[in-house]
Amino acid sequence: MSFDVEECTGISYDYENFGKVYVPRIKLQEELLSAVLNKKLIWVDGPGGSGKTTLVSWLIRELMENTDKYRILLIPVRIKPRSVYNAFSAIELLVKCGVEEYLGGNEIGRFFDSARRGLDYLSKFLETVSIVFIVPLKPVLGPITVASSMLYFLGILYNKAYKYSRVKSEEDFLKKISDELGKEIGKRFKDFKYTEALLIVDDLGDLPDDTSRKNLLKVLTYLAKEVQLKVLVVRRRFEIKRPIGKTLLGVLRVEEEDLLQEYYKVEVPGLSRGELDILKRIVKTLPLKSMRKFKFKKSEEDEIAEELFNRTGGLPRILCIAMYNYLRETLRLKDWDLLTLDRVRRYVKSDAKEILDSYLHHIASDYGGVFNEKFYKLMKLASCMPSFTKDELMEITEYDEDEVKTFLEWGGLKRSDKLYHFNDKWYWLKHAVYETVLSNEEKRRIHEKILEYFKSGEKTFRKYQMTVYQAEELLELVINEEEREELARLIVERAMVLAYLAYYEGIPFATVYYGLKAYNYAEELKMWIKALVAAEAILHYAGAIQLSEEIAESIKDELREIFEKAKEVNEEDARYYYAEVLSIWAFYALNTLRDGEEAESAVNEGLSVIDGRDSKLISDELKWYHAYSRLLTIQADIAMSRLDYDSAMGILEEMRELLDKYRDRIVKRWSEDAYYHILAAIESRLGKLTLMMADSEDKLKESLEHFKNSLKNNLKGRRIVDVAGARINIATIMMLLAKSPNDFEKAVSEEIEEYDLNRCIKLSEETGNRKDEAMAKRLMSISLLANRRDKEAEKLAREALGIVKGNPDEYAKAVCELTLAYILMVSKLDEFRRNESIAELISRLTLSAHNRFDKLRAANRCISPVILGVELHLLGRLGFDELLKDLDKLISMLKEKRDEHLAWVLRGVREAIKKEGLNEEVLRTATIKLLVAL
């Protein structure tokens, strides 16, 4: 006879004998079913162990067994404890957890691969895959059909999320997904006569922090409002964290409870005194997997039920665990299954805390052996940590290796590399221990002990991460304001270090995540200098990770006020850091928002803040140089954007002169890496400037050398995050110089300083630099088209466009749209000429790009009219001579504006067209350079 205590987590809808062991709660069932049929958003609320999962399991079976009656496509998702950083990771988590219900092993990877490739691939995959339909039901449409529909829905959701991943704003991202998702599932519903889908998420409380829960809730709420989708979330009740002040800084400002206000709440409390009959029936189903069940002594049945209710608080999970503990004590008796009042009073602990604590002792006894007491203490300690290593547990507790190793070998844990954490089946116990067994005093004592460990010894990225985590947990427990402020200051200090470690390692997402945390806490604590430093870290990568324009601008709007307050603390530092952050904002405004006036305004303000070379506003000359040099860099970019080459060259020469002057001091104070980083930036700008001035191959080769020097210096300065951009620039010049398809291939595949474009794409994916990833894929697609690998070219061009769609960078969108249009035209040339709808699609893309360029008044906006002219000529709507005349006019115009390299590119295109005509070879190797010149 066995008693599987894991069954106490709630009876799952796929439990084999569900009908025999499920005890109905009729009123709750009716309320829940009515809510699902009449509401879009449903929230099943209640304390841990109250029966929420079991009730929802009944709902799933009811809807699935009566598909013809309800016409609802069920998508149950059992949430795993993972962090959710943004809308994309929320969808990724939903899909992964849902898919794991029906697929196993390599099939999960194949599912995601086919979903990424497209819906045709997904459909073919689902036709051949072996679906494990674990629910022992016989739905009207058949189990495989139902499972296939569920997987198809999740596949569409992931396909659209991947397509529009990391766009500028969460709203744009979700809108694009919803628009396309709605159309696709509408078709599916028509085929199978569904009217709506119901996405069930259980348990939201398993996500590790309120930011993750809010990120997921925002996605679920949006999808339910925009698509034929109902959402039901299960979330156990717990206290809301409010670490600092009335609003929570360092995380989303909106509260979790506020988001749930839009949901219809179905409250699932523990059993009441009026439900003692239900309590009796639950007891009589236990042990679930035993033929022999508990029975009540007839003359004492009501009293026993009352006693169990008082001791367990009417919570089904606690009741189940209490009976497990009871069985452990009575199994030696022949009539162990007979419940008497005396036995219950003797063997069932007096309340939920004691019952759970007793259960922990049983686990420690079973798995800890001679180390059972230390095993027990380690379980408590582990409940206060998101993850842990063997060394960490040993050093925090000072236990021997064998004692800790025994705990780590327990089946309730999972290992990922060196880190351990509670596995999915036992995650409920982590919460139960933390929320019920540990008192606030004990929590505080454990957190303080853990915090002291992570604050001490060797400084590592993980130690700083865990310091921030433990300090935030303590803020929930500490009342004394001085202690709270000390913890918050620690969070600011450590989060700033994490942001900068991530910054120098080239990890944009981590930089922004910890930068935001530091910025918000620092602002709350009036640590104005720290707030300026954090703002710089955030805005530095705002464009690379496609941070919401709203967040970036909200920080910018607060900067001047923060600067004024920071001057009261330390005026020189305030001026230095404010000028630094203004230079970063100017870069963002120029290169992401494409707002030259805003960029120039920020640079001018920055220069006025630090003043000129002889300024005494910043007495530390090296700090003045650093801020001034960064502002000069953006000045050079602004001059180049206006085709003012003389000014740009003068600024770059001044930057090089200053770098030579301060080199020794830079190396001495900051390191040789810092010197090479600045030198790489100068060489990159010189490469761009000489490219723009190039009117011959020799000048292009000069530009190429500057970009190669930039790449080398980035590597010397260990600025790996900037390597991809440098290699992309090199590929661009090599393509402009290309004479054959092989030259185009060499431009992307040749390893220069061990980097080709494939490696750059992987590097960009790892660091989260989506813009570089998109530009690298775009150039790869051009090379593939030149080499007649058309399907691969189209795929990469679409991926590049998918990355930048919704981004605030209109120029990047225009470039990627025009690239895709050209690739479609050349790869489908016969269809383009014969099929009006294909021609219209391609022309529409080209016109969209042209309108974006025109609105931006971009220097190379002349490229899109040329490609439009090529399209019209191929369609027979523009004569050959007229096309050449149009090219002549554009070349003359570009020469007048001193846009030398575009004029040179167009001359080459004109010569090829005049000599060979617009045949396919010219389109693939000559006019294709129009795309490269963008």
Side-chain angles (χ1 to χ4, degrees), residues 187-206:
K187 296 175 192 172
R188 195 74 175 182
F189 287 167
K190 192 177 291 184
D191 291 341
F192 292 99
K193 298 179 182 177
Y194 296 121
T195 57
E196 255 178 324
L198 173 63
L199 181 60
I200 299 175
V201 178
D202 184 8
D203 180 319
L204 192 68
D206 283 347

Side-chain angles (χ1 to χ4, degrees), residues 438-461:
L438 297 179
S439 65
N440 282 344
E441 291 76 17
E442 195 170 5
K443 286 179 194 174
R444 179 173 175 175
R445 190 164 59 250
I446 293 172
H447 281 305
E448 286 175 340
K449 188 174 183 180
I450 297 170
L451 180 61
E452 283 308 307
Y453 164 74
F454 282 118
K455 282 167 57 180
S456 64
E458 183 186 0
K459 308 302 182 189
T460 65
F461 195 86

Side-chain angles (χ1 to χ4, degrees), residues 792-821:
E792 296 168 77
E794 181 184 339
K795 178 176 180 290
L796 279 182
R798 288 188 184 280
E799 285 180 12
L801 181 58
I803 290 169
V804 300
K805 265 194 173 180
N807 185 288
D809 191 339
E810 290 293 306
Y811 183 81
K813 283 186 276 191
V815 166
C816 290
E817 280 180 337
L818 198 55
T819 302
L820 178 59

Side-chain angles (χ1 to χ4, degrees), residues 627-675:
Y628 183 65
S629 177
R630 290 180 79 164
L631 290 163
L632 284 182
T633 303
I634 310 304
Q635 267 197 330
D637 289 344
I638 293 169
M640 282 188 274
S641 73
R642 294 173 178 169
L643 305 182
D644 185 354
Y645 304 140
D646 295 337
S647 294
M649 185 61 80
I651 293 167
L652 292 172
E653 286 171 353
E654 182 183 0
M655 287 175 64
R656 186 57 193 261
E657 174 198 329
L658 285 168
L659 179 62
D660 291 341
K661 176 183 176 179
Y662 288 101
R663 174 175 182 169
D664 292 342
R665 277 182 276 182
I666 290 168
V667 171
K668 185 176 180 181
R669 184 186 294 188
W670 293 327
S671 78
E672 198 170 38
D673 290 353
Y675 165 76

Side-chain angles (χ1 to χ4, degrees), residues 71 191 314 342 368:
R71 296 297 176 191
D191 291 341
D342 178 62

Side-chain angles (χ1 to χ4, degrees), residues 71-212:
R71 296 297 176 191
I72 292 175
L73 172 62
L74 280 169
I75 306 155
V77 174
R78 290 187 259 214
I79 284 293
K80 306 296 190 298
R82 308 284 187 270
S83 291
V84 177
Y85 301 106
N86 54 24
F88 178 75
S89 67
I91 290 174
E92 196 171 36
L93 177 70
L94 285 171
V95 175
K96 191 171 190 303
C97 293
V99 168
E100 286 175 354
E101 295 289 300
Y102 304 102
L103 301 178
N106 295 331
E107 302 289 14
I108 295 174
R110 288 181 57 212
F111 171 88
F112 279 98
D113 182 59
S114 65
R116 279 191 291 266
R117 294 173 72 187
L119 300 186
D120 288 342
Y121 291 99
L122 177 66
S123 295
K124 288 175 184 175
F125 168 76
L126 292 177
E127 287 171 7
T128 59
V129 72
S130 174
I131 295 173
V132 181
F133 194 75
I134 54 178
V135 186
L137 302 172
K138 294 182 179 178
V140 171
L141 298 174
I144 300 304
T145 300
V146 171
S148 179
S149 295
M150 294 175 186
L151 289 169
Y152 190 73
F153 178 94
L154 292 169
I156 299 171
L157 181 58
Y158 182 74
N159 170 266
K160 303 308 175 189
Y162 181 77
K163 181 178 178 181
Y164 296 113
S165 60
R166 322 231 195 236
V167 300
K168 178 218 41 167
S169 75
E170 193 172 82
E171 269 202 14
D172 286 344
F173 171 71
L174 291 172
K175 185 177 186 308
K176 290 179 185 299
I177 288 173
S178 299
D179 289 346
E180 295 192 20
L181 182 64
K183 293 173 187 174
E184 292 294 338
I185 64 174
K187 296 175 192 172
R188 195 74 175 182
F189 287 167
K190 192 177 291 184
D191 291 341
F192 292 99
K193 298 179 182 177
Y194 296 121
T195 57
E196 255 178 324
L198 173 63
L199 181 60
I200 299 175
V201 178
D202 184 8
D203 180 319
L204 192 68
D206 283 347
L207 295 178
D209 55 78
D210 56 348
T211 302
S212 293

Side-chain angles (χ1 to χ4, degrees), residues 521-734:
Y521 277 111
E523 192 178 17
E524 178 79 7
L525 292 167
K526 299 181 173 62
M527 298 170 69
W528 307 120
I529 300 291
K530 292 290 185 185
L532 287 174
V533 177
E536 181 196 347
I538 298 162
L539 292 176
H540 183 89
Y541 281 124
I545 70 161
Q546 301 182 0
L547 182 71
S548 162
E549 185 180 339
E550 182 185 354
I551 294 174
E553 289 189 335
S554 69
I555 292 172
K556 166 60 169 60
D557 291 342
E558 295 172 347
L559 285 176
R560 189 171 287 121
E561 184 181 348
I562 292 173
F563 168 57
E564 293 300 330
K565 292 175 178 176
K567 283 199 294 184
E568 297 172 12
V569 180
N570 183 321
E571 183 168 348
E572 288 201 15
D573 279 353
R575 289 181 179 278
Y576 169 63
Y577 288 117
Y578 185 48
E580 292 263 292
V581 77
L582 282 172
S583 73
I584 297 297
W585 171 255
F587 182 87
Y588 178 79
L590 183 66
N591 293 285
T592 299
L593 303 181
R594 299 286 163 174
D595 189 339
E597 289 184 8
E598 173 65 23
E600 187 171 28
S601 172
V603 169
N604 289 337
E605 185 180 356
L607 291 171
S608 69
V609 166
I610 62 170
D611 212 349
R613 287 198 188 198
D614 300 324
S615 167
K616 302 299 179 186
L617 295 177
I618 298 178
S619 59
D620 185 325
E621 198 176 346
L622 201 53
K623 276 189 173 181
W624 172 87
Y625 157 73
H626 194 256
Y628 183 65
S629 177
R630 290 180 79 164
L631 290 163
L632 284 182
T633 303
I634 310 304
Q635 267 197 330
D637 289 344
I638 293 169
M640 282 188 274
S641 73
R642 294 173 178 169
L643 305 182
D644 185 354
Y645 304 140
D646 295 337
S647 294
M649 185 61 80
I651 293 167
L652 292 172
E653 286 171 353
E654 182 183 0
M655 287 175 64
R656 186 57 193 261
E657 174 198 329
L658 285 168
L659 179 62
D660 291 341
K661 176 183 176 179
Y662 288 101
R663 174 175 182 169
D664 292 342
R665 277 182 276 182
I666 290 168
V667 171
K668 185 176 180 181
R669 184 186 294 188
W670 293 327
S671 78
E672 198 170 38
D673 290 353
Y675 165 76
Y676 283 118
H677 171 49
I678 299 169
L679 182 57
I682 295 173
E683 287 286 355
S684 179
R685 263 67 180 192
L686 284 169
K688 182 179 178 182
L689 180 57
T690 51
L691 168 61
M692 295 176 76
M693 296 167 63
D695 57 2
S696 66
E697 288 191 3
D698 287 342
K699 292 281 182 68
L700 280 174
K701 288 174 183 176
E702 184 183 339
S703 172
L704 182 62
E705 287 307 307
H706 282 302
F707 284 132
K708 285 183 176 179
N709 288 337
S710 176
L711 175 61
K712 290 174 185 175
N713 287 315
N714 273 318
L715 289 169
K716 285 181 182 177
R718 293 187 285 188
R719 288 286 297 172
I720 302 302
V721 71
D722 293 328
V723 165
R727 182 62 181 85
I728 288 166
N729 289 330
I730 291 168
T732 299
I733 307 299
M734 290 176 72

